[in-house]
């Protein structure tokens, strides 16, 4: 079933393989990734506490999504894989139509 | 040949995580849940949910949406397991149904410790553990109500913060001499006590609660020194007890928790256990502990699933915990001991400070208050048992990850 708010994204996993998944309304990006078997641990359940759901998005999308919270930035900046232009915690990204068709890359696991 | 079946008892963080890990496994996976409805996240129950307007429980996120289980062919059974027949490899569910297992994973969680005192079961006395508990407590917290919270641990303080924000007249009665005494050091306790006091919460330390009075509904809480605290709502936040009774009745080794090894295996090789109900005993690693933590529950669930699937054990992660009170985040990594050297990094007066616990010259644990930048770096130092330069670590102009002693230069 399709709805007006349905969003489809392209996800690249840690092995470089990619596939399209549906992003359901009301879910965060982290929940979508988790429900589709991508390796995001999300130990904190989506409260910006653990940085285990780190992803990369295109810079234009990151810009469009607006400011990252202080907590999110602090966690991201300590990641070995932090990219100021492209890093987000997927638990802090809500579904938006602007993300339809976007590519999401799961960040490498921390050492 | 009969199909392999893994039966998982419990659908909290540990049980669901085990089921998710087993989703790719070719056998059947059955999750038995005593509670009805969707699985759900627990951390919000004592935090944002209590402050949220509105009725019902729609705003509590599921651990996995119901469709996920269907998509993965994970069977969900609603029912209470009455007993386990290990010899016959059967679990008996109330009502007469039995399910055969090849491997069993017990994830029954913990139950909040009740106030076993006169009046402890009067209407208006709340415990907080389940979704239903949270809905009932949220409906009871109304502006102007007098709320007495017994216990100043994570749950008691998170509830106190919500109650104070809602506009309740909030009092916390604590037996120890400071808040969160079981989980943190004096400087962190002092900071959080002040934070709550500034938001109008009153603390009484050294308070031994002896009785609750009221005619059907709570009216006041009595302490051993003869004091009486008027109350419309009483919340007990005095810790949890592991739900290990089913395992005990089945003859598994139990000691304040179901005893498991590093693979989450119990004393029966076909039975695993994970989460709050377990006690990890690993004599070789010098470990004998029961942790109440989502991180630990997930790691144990991963280890159980991996062991069943014959894959390698997951990476050991430093235990970690968190709480948010009045918007201030406390994150703990590692397990401190009271005799650890305490090193302060930053100033509590600035609203952000990291407390380092140093043991034998190495970082053993840390608390980050209002600051996450040190958390990830510190967690890595703890995992590696890195020797730490205490002076550098106390200097906020130096990154915590770089606060390690300079390499010894050889003088040949």
């Amino acid at each position: 079933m399709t709805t007006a708010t349905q969003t489809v994204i392209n996800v690249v996993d840690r092995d470089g393989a990619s596939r399209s998944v549906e992003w359901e309304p009301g879910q965060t990006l982290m929940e979508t990734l988790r429900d589709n078997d991508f390796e995001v641990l999300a130990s904190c359940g989506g409260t910006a506490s653990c940085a285990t759901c780190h992803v990369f998005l295109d810079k234009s999308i990151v810009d469009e999504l607006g400011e990252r919270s202080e907590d999110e930035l602090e966690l991201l900046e300590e990641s070995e894989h932090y990219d100021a232009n492209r890093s987000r915690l997927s638990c802090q990204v809500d579904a938006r139509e602007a993300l339809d068709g976007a590519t999401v890359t799961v960040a490498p696991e921390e050492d | 040949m009969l199909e392999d079946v893994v039966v998982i008892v419990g659908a909290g963080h540990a049980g669901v995580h085990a089921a998710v890990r087993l989703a790719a496994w070719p056998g059947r996976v059955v999750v038995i849940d005593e509670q009805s409805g969707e699985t759900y996240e627990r951390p919000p129950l004592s935090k944002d949910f209590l402050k949220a307007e509105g009725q019902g429980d729609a705003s509590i996120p599921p651990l996995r949406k119901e469709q996920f289980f269907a998509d993965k062919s994970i069977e969900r059974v609603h029912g209470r397991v009455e007993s386990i027949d290990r010899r016959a490899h059967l679990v008996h569910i109330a009502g007469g149904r039995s399910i055969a297992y090849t491997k069993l994973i017990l994830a029954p969680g913990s139950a909040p410790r009740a106030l076993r005192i006169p009046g402890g079961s009067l209407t208006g006395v709340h415990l907080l553990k389940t979704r239903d508990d949270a809905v009932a407590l949220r409906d009871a917290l109304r502006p102007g109500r007098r709320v007495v919270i017994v216990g100043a641990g994570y749950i008691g303080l998170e509830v106190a913060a919500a109650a104070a924000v809602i506009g309740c007249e909030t009092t916390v009665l604590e037996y120890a001499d400071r808040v969160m005494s079981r989980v943190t050091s004096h400087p962190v306790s002092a900071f959080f006590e002040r934070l709550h006091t500034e938001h109008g919460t009153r603390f009484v330390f050294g308070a031994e609660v002896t009785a609750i009075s009221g005619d059907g509904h709570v009216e006041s809480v009595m302490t051993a020194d003869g004091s009486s605290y008027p109350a419309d709502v009483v919340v007990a936040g005095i810790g949890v007890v592991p739900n290990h009774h089913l395992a005990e009745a089945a003859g598994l080794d139990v000691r304040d928790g179901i005893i498991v090894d590093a693979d989450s295996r119990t004393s029966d090789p076909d039975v695993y256990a994970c989460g709050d109900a377990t006690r990890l005993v690993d004599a070789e690693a010098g470990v004998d502990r029961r942790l109440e933590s989502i991180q630990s529950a997930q790691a144990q669930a991963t280890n159980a699933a991996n062991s069943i699937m014959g894959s390698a054990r997951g990476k050991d992660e430093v235990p970690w915990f968190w709480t948010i009170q009045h918007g201030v985040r406390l994150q703990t990594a590692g397990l401190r001991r009271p005799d650890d050297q305490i090193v302060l990094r930053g100033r509590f007066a600035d609203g952000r400070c990291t407390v380092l616990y140093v043991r034998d010259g190495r970082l053993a644990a840390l608390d980050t208050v209002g600051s996450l930048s040190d958390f990830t770096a510190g967690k890595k130092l703890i995992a590696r048992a890195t020797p730490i330069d205490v002076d550098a670590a106390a200097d906020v102009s130096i990154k915590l990850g770089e606060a390690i002693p300079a390499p010894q230069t050889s003088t040949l």
Side-chain angles (χ1 to χ4, degrees):
Chain A
M1 196 185 74
T2 55
T3 65
T5 52
Q6 190 175 51
T7 305
V8 176
I9 51 171
N10 182 44
V11 184
V12 181
D13 70 17
R14 288 184 178 140
D15 298 323
S18 71
R19 64 189 157 101
S20 304
V21 300
E22 281 175 27
W23 185 348
E24 292 188 11
Q27 289 197 312
T28 64
L29 177 54
M30 178 277 283
E31 290 172 85
T32 301
L33 296 175
R34 201 170 64 174
D35 280 358
N36 286 284
D37 298 335
F38 290 97
E39 286 194 347
V40 290
L41 194 57
S43 317
C44 72
T47 61
S49 305
C50 72
T52 57
C53 69
H54 182 182
V55 295
F56 303 120
L57 294 163
D58 283 346
K59 181 180 186 307
S60 60
I61 293 171
V62 169
D63 290 345
E64 196 169 331
L65 288 171
E67 294 272 298
R68 290 168 280 206
S69 74
E70 204 176 304
D71 285 347
E72 181 178 351
L73 260 183
E74 286 194 21
L75 284 167
L76 286 170
E77 282 169 0
E78 282 299 326
S79 164
E80 296 154 47
H81 310 291
Y82 175 59
D83 180 332
N85 291 318
R86 301 172 60 234
S87 285
R88 287 296 313 251
L89 292 183
S90 57
C91 68
Q92 301 301 300
V93 179
D94 292 321
R96 299 202 193 180
E97 280 172 52
L99 284 150
D100 196 29
T103 294
V104 177
T105 304
V106 180
E109 204 173 0
E110 296 283 304
D111 272 347
Chain B
M1 199 182 104
L2 286 172
E3 190 184 18
D4 280 338
V5 185
V6 174
V7 171
I8 300 168
V9 179
H13 285 270
V16 167
H17 194 74
V20 168
R21 297 289 301 201
L22 286 163
W25 181 70
R28 270 175 74 203
V29 178
V30 183
V31 179
I32 305 172
D33 188 2
E34 195 169 314
Q35 296 179 47
S36 58
E38 277 194 320
T39 62
Y40 56 92
E41 293 274 1
R42 297 205 184 237
L45 299 182
S46 51
K47 303 180 179 76
D48 288 344
F49 177 76
L50 291 178
K51 295 178 277 182
E53 293 285 330
Q55 299 299 308
D57 54 21
S59 64
I60 301 171
L63 281 169
R64 290 293 185 283
K65 57 186 195 240
E66 215 46 44
Q67 189 60 39
F68 174 87
F69 297 100
D71 290 347
K72 302 293 178 193
S73 302
I74 295 168
E75 294 167 52
R76 297 257 280 128
V77 173
H78 174 224
R80 185 174 57 81
V81 174
E82 274 185 333
S83 62
I84 300 163
D85 183 339
R86 293 196 287 127
R87 185 173 298 203
H89 279 60
L90 284 172
V91 291
H92 298 298
I93 300 171
R97 185 176 172 190
S98 297
I99 301 178
Y101 67 84
T102 317
K103 303 283 182 189
L104 178 64
I105 300 178
L106 300 175
S110 56
R113 187 173 282 124
L115 284 166
R116 298 198 181 282
I117 52 172
S121 54
L122 285 170
T123 308
V125 178
H126 293 256
L127 300 171
L128 180 51
K129 180 70 187 178
T130 67
R131 178 168 47 199
D132 290 348
D133 295 340
V135 170
L137 180 56
R138 186 182 64 179
D139 290 345
L141 297 177
R142 292 278 170 262
R145 293 238 169 112
R146 296 162 303 177
V147 177
V148 173
I149 295 160
V150 183
Y154 276 4
I155 292 292
L157 292 181
E158 288 176 0
V159 172
V165 165
I166 288 164
C168 302
E169 205 180 283
T170 310
T171 303
V172 178
L173 307 178
E174 166 59 48
Y175 185 76
D177 61 353
R178 60 190 177 95
V179 306
M180 295 189 283
S181 61
R182 196 170 66 88
V183 296
T184 195
S185 58
H186 281 85
V188 177
S189 293
F191 173 79
F192 276 92
E193 182 191 335
R194 192 163 58 245
L195 177 72
H196 283 270
T197 304
E198 282 166 3
H199 282 85
T201 294
R202 172 171 63 142
F203 286 96
V204 181
F205 294 105
E208 187 189 340
V209 174
T210 51
I212 299 171
S213 69
D215 185 9
H217 194 282
V218 294
E219 284 168 17
S220 61
V221 179
M222 256 71 72
T223 52
D225 64 355
S227 303
S228 170
Y229 300 89
D232 303 304
V233 178
V234 176
V235 185
I238 51 175
V240 298
V241 288
N243 289 330
H244 58 208
H245 314 97
L246 191 63
E248 193 170 31
L252 296 168
D253 286 352
V254 164
R255 175 168 45 86
D256 182 38
I258 307 165
I259 293 178
V260 294
D261 66 13
D263 284 321
S264 307
R265 218 186 270 258
T266 68
S267 52
D268 178 336
D270 289 335
V271 182
Y272 294 78
C274 45
D276 278 9
T278 66
R279 168 174 292 277
L280 172 64
V281 178
D282 184 343
E284 215 166 284
V287 170
D288 185 340
R289 69 187 180 211
R290 186 167 65 78
L291 293 181
E292 295 146 20
S293 117
I294 289 173
Q295 171 272 322
S296 167
Q298 286 188 339
Q300 289 188 317
T302 298
N303 292 340
N306 285 9
S307 175
I308 288 169
M309 294 187 291
S311 36
R313 195 186 299 157
K315 206 167 66 177
D316 272 351
E317 199 191 353
V318 172
W320 71 273
F321 313 83
W322 87 100
T323 174
I324 300 175
Q325 297 161 26
H326 289 301
V328 178
R329 183 190 287 275
L330 166 63
Q331 292 205 178
T332 296
L335 301 170
R336 67 180 261 282
R337 289 187 202 148
D339 56 350
D340 290 336
Q341 179 190 356
I342 288 179
V343 179
L344 290 188
R345 175 175 165 83
R347 286 157 25 100
F348 281 107
D350 300 331
R352 56 189 284 151
C353 187
T354 295
V355 182
L356 305 166
Y357 304 101
V358 178
R359 195 179 307 152
D360 302 328
R362 292 161 198 278
L363 189 61
L366 90 176
D367 287 325
T368 61
V369 176
S371 159
L372 281 170
S373 50
D374 289 342
F375 180 72
T376 314
K379 195 148 136 307
K380 286 178 191 165
L381 293 178
I382 296 164
R384 295 172 191 153
T386 311
I388 194 154
D389 181 327
V390 166
D391 293 333
D395 182 345
V396 288
S397 71
I398 297 171
K399 283 190 140 201
L400 180 56
E402 289 158 14
I404 53 180
Q408 298 288 316
T409 47
S410 68
T411 48
L412 285 175

